[in-house]
Amino acid sequence: MATESTGDKPEKRRQQVYTLLVEVGRSAGDGLPKGCTGAGLLIYASGVDEAEAVRESVAILKQADMAPLDVTGYGTLEERLAQGDEIDESERALMQRALEENAVIVAQMTPFTSD
């Protein structure tokens, strides 16, 4: 018995870029400056949702011998604009690059010291 197709296909979710702040600790070979205790990384990561962007970012950082400790999500470009964030053209360009390349881009690294 043949069934009639309703034409409903699963909706393909589109990639978006999420702004993440990742705190990393120290590990051998992490490339962080000597004397720091870790770092904060501002990341733009693509994903169909924030959870995927976080998973991909953590996986990439682990491959780079970094030790991710905590991730804070700040949302998509649209969400950040709705919250009143000012986003300059250079930041928007990095977000667009992350989207086009389906990439994780570290936009800024701030080393932490014990002082």
Side-chain angles (χ1 to χ4, degrees), residues 17-20 22 41-46 53 56-57 60-61 90-108:
V17 175
Y18 294 86
T19 301
L20 307 173
V22 182
L41 305 175
L42 177 63
I43 291 178
Y44 302 121
S46 65
E56 291 295 322
S57 297
I60 294 291
L61 293 172
S90 63
E91 193 174 358
R92 288 174 189 255
L94 287 173
M95 290 176 172
Q96 185 61 37
R97 180 176 166 204
L99 182 63
E100 290 170 358
E101 297 177 9
N102 189 24
V104 172
I105 295 177
V106 177
Q108 182 178 352

Side-chain angles (χ1 to χ4, degrees), residues 9-78:
K9 292 183 180 178
E11 183 180 322
K12 183 174 177 164
R13 297 175 8 184
R14 68 180 183 95
Q15 293 279 321
Q16 297 187 78
V17 175
Y18 294 86
T19 301
L20 307 173
L21 180 61
V22 182
E23 183 179 331
V24 297
R26 293 307 309 253
S27 66
D30 60 15
L32 294 175
K34 185 177 180 178
C36 74
T37 58
L41 305 175
L42 177 63
I43 291 178
Y44 302 121
S46 65
V48 295
D49 57 26
E50 191 170 75
E52 181 184 58
V54 168
R55 283 190 304 273
E56 291 295 322
S57 297
V58 167
I60 294 291
L61 293 172
K62 285 181 177 181
Q63 286 177 2
D65 293 328
M66 300 194 103
L69 301 173
D70 188 52
V71 180
T72 303
Y74 290 93
T76 63
L77 173 63
E78 294 80 16

